[in-house]
Amino acid sequence: MPKKKVYATLEIADQEIRLIVLEVYEARNNVLRVERVQCSGVQGQKIRNEAAVVKAIQEACKNAQSALGFRIERVLLAIPSVNVHRSSQKIHIQIGDGTRTIRLFHIQQGFNKAIEKQLGEELVFVNANRIAYIVNGQETTKMPIGEECDDFFMDIDLLYADKETMYAYARCVEQANLQILDVCIDAYALAQETGVLISDPDKATILIDLEKEHCTLSLFQHGRLLNTTTLEEGYHSFTTDLQAKYHLSDEVCYRLLQNIFTANESEASDVICYIEQKEEMRVEITLQELTTSCLAKIRSWIADVNEACAPIAAQSSMRYVLTGQGANIRVFSQLEGAFNAKAQIFEEQTIGARDGAFVCGLGMAYAWQYVNRIRHSDQICVNNNELEASIDSINTRAKSGSEGGFTQKLKNAILTEKE
């Protein structure tokens, strides 16, 4: 029986840890478990409290392991798009063994030569941005294994990230007694899941990752990540006035944002949408007050995005793709026309992880598969012996149980927690 490709992806996001355990089967993600644990150890995409982050990672892993019945030993780790740089190289590979046939070894040789390049002491290699092969004068992005030639070229575009940031995030994972299978720049992972790397590659695409405390803008074109920048305001800034007035929690503010259903303030009714009794006051918020208070700030944020991207919009045809947890705010679908170019709200459709917050974690699995065609590693993120034992146990109970096989497997593998 072929080895199950089960991976665990970890994102240390604004105010929470996100863990996804999934199986990659026939180029599809089958989600087995998702965990989200609140954590106040990250501010401004920097680790401010390492102990708090480590504790949250351990809690997320413990919860997932308890439900699934096997240990998570290593993870694919997301790194913030901070100080991202590119390096393009054309590597010449000669086939000197007389076979005149390209083998995986030759491609690995070219890749390893490319990643030896250092851009500076403050940067470290993270991702292969794009790899193209030039064989007998023809360019292709498919691995030309088995092609006949005397030599060929590899056009390799690499991504480098901020070393201090990456080491700080990696140290938290290691302190949580986990290994790191690979790291991935979060913008690149988002692009893998949303498909912006392959859809209309000649057209510039700005991928907007809207999170609680920040927003990352990433420029993609020709199948490459070209540049990233960060705006220091996330969706939390939309509710600052309401939060200050009524002393609301962050969780309540986010839920309120999801209840803005119209982009026209005059259409909002005076129906009360939130009630809370506090010691010092009784809170009653109407849809009209909610809409009036938040829409102005949302439009101001869109104006900031437009201003940041105006030079690109003026020079070429472009589009926006909005993702991240902020993409769950429904009213954005009515505000697409407020952007200075065509805009799309990406809606995650993967069963078990239909939330904008999980787009990065899902994309990391695809990013790993992309580079693993060259690395050819058979490592997975969970204990293989325990995984096989869990599968055998589920199969046995499914055969002996009164309910259908799929229903029983679903209950045991995803919904039922191990006592």
Side-chain angles (χ1 to χ4, degrees):
M1 184 175 66
K3 189 174 182 179
K4 293 284 185 180
K5 295 182 178 180
V6 177
Y7 300 103
T9 67
L10 181 70
E11 182 183 8
I12 303 174
D14 290 349
Q15 308 301 314
E16 71 176 1
I17 302 299
R18 300 167 185 165
L19 177 72
I20 306 176
V21 183
L22 49 86
E23 177 194 20
V24 177
Y25 179 70
E26 294 184 349
R28 293 180 60 186
N29 284 337
N30 299 321
V31 175
L32 304 179
R33 190 77 179 182
V34 297
E35 294 290 342
R36 302 174 74 168
V37 177
Q38 292 297 309
C39 174
S40 59
V42 180
Q43 292 180 351
Q45 296 181 285
K46 292 185 179 296
I47 305 296
R48 304 297 186 185
N49 187 335
E50 184 177 286
V53 175
V54 171
K55 183 179 179 181
I57 293 173
Q58 290 174 330
E59 182 179 345
C61 287
K62 181 181 178 181
N63 294 342
Q65 290 169 162
S66 177
L68 294 171
F70 46 79
R71 281 177 295 166
I72 298 170
E73 297 180 335
R74 55 189 67 87
V75 296
L76 299 168
L77 175 65
I79 302 298
S81 302
V82 176
N83 196 24
V84 176
H85 286 68
R86 295 173 51 239
S87 170
S88 295
Q89 302 178 59
K90 182 169 286 189
I91 307 297
H92 182 211
I93 300 100
Q94 292 184 316
I95 303 176
D97 54 9
T99 63
R100 298 191 73 251
T101 302
I102 299 175
R103 293 177 292 171
L104 179 62
F105 166 79
H106 298 117
I107 295 174
Q108 291 173 332
Q109 186 181 46
F111 180 76
N112 291 334
K113 183 177 180 181
I115 64 177
E116 289 177 357
K117 182 176 181 178
Q118 300 294 325
L119 292 190
E121 294 183 358
E122 74 283 0
L123 298 173
V124 61
F125 164 71
V126 179
N127 290 113
N129 196 15
R130 181 180 183 272
I131 302 176
Y133 307 88
I134 305 171
V135 183
N136 297 323
Q138 299 294 319
E139 181 175 314
T140 179
T141 56
K142 296 181 179 180
M143 292 176 62
I145 294 177
E147 293 285 337
E148 293 185 358
C149 61
D150 294 317
D151 61 353
F152 67 100
F153 292 88
M154 292 178 64
D155 188 359
I156 304 179
D157 204 71
L158 303 178
L159 294 175
Y160 294 76
D162 184 75
K163 180 186 289 187
E164 182 180 353
T165 300
M166 193 185 87
Y167 283 6
Y169 276 62
R171 188 164 52 248
C172 290
V173 175
E174 292 169 350
Q175 290 294 321
N177 297 319
L178 293 169
Q179 301 174 32
I180 298 174
L181 179 60
D182 198 16
V183 293
C184 184
I185 294 173
D186 56 8
Y188 184 77
L190 291 165
Q192 288 283 349
E193 179 63 15
T194 58
V196 302
L197 287 169
I198 57 176
S199 61
D200 200 0
D202 293 331
K203 188 175 185 178
T205 299
I206 303 293
L207 187 62
I208 307 173
D209 179 21
L210 179 57
E211 290 292 337
K212 182 178 179 181
E213 302 291 349
H214 78 283
C215 167
T216 299
L217 306 178
S218 305
L219 171 62
F220 292 86
Q221 194 170 14
H222 307 305
R224 294 177 172 90
L225 170 59
L226 301 182
N227 198 9
T228 66
T229 190
T230 300
L231 302 181
E232 298 301 330
E233 284 192 347
Y235 63 77
H236 186 245
S237 65
F238 303 161
T239 55
T240 51
D241 290 346
L242 284 178
Q243 190 167 35
K245 181 178 179 180
Y246 295 112
H247 311 294
L248 304 174
S249 67
D250 293 348
E251 292 74 17
V252 168
C253 287
Y254 179 65
R255 292 204 307 272
L256 287 173
L257 283 173
Q258 292 179 294
N259 283 279
I260 301 176
F261 299 109
T262 177
N264 188 338
E265 290 90 334
S266 63
E267 294 179 355
S269 68
D270 58 358
V271 173
I272 296 174
C273 63
Y274 182 76
I275 299 174
E276 181 181 355
Q277 183 64 53
K278 294 179 177 291
E279 292 184 2
E280 68 279 8
M281 70 171 78
R282 177 179 173 83
V283 178
E284 293 185 357
I285 301 176
T286 65
L287 287 172
Q288 188 175 59
E289 181 181 11
L290 172 64
T291 303
T292 302
S293 176
C294 297
L295 274 183
K297 291 185 175 295
I298 294 175
R299 288 195 173 93
S300 177
W301 174 81
I302 293 176
D304 290 341
V305 172
N306 289 341
E307 182 180 357
C309 302
I312 301 171
Q315 294 178 8
S316 63
S317 175
M318 60 165 279
R319 66 179 182 128
Y320 294 100
V321 176
L322 176 63
T323 186
Q325 188 169 351
N328 299 331
I329 301 172
R330 297 180 180 89
V331 75
F332 273 121
S333 63
Q334 301 179 39
L335 292 169
E336 294 175 350
F339 291 90
N340 59 356
K342 182 180 178 181
Q344 172 196 351
I345 313 303
F346 181 76
E347 296 183 9
E348 181 56 60
Q349 297 297 318
T350 302
I351 296 174
R354 288 179 175 172
D355 191 306
F358 298 131
V359 175
C360 177
L362 294 170
M364 274 192 279
Y366 290 126
W368 166 247
Q369 293 296 306
Y370 176 73
V371 75
N372 199 40
R373 295 181 304 169
I374 296 176
R375 291 178 174 171
H376 215 60
S377 170
D378 63 352
Q379 275 193 318
I380 58 176
C381 290
V382 303
N383 184 284
N384 190 63
N385 292 333
E386 294 177 1
L387 172 63
E388 295 298 336
S390 177
I391 293 172
D392 291 341
S393 175
I394 292 169
N395 289 336
T396 300
R397 282 181 288 179
K399 291 178 181 179
S400 61
S402 58
E403 298 185 49
F406 177 76
T407 301
Q408 193 68 26
K409 288 180 183 179
L410 189 64
K411 286 184 177 180
N412 285 282
I414 302 176
L415 304 179
T416 304
E417 294 194 358
K418 190 176 180 181
E419 295 183 359

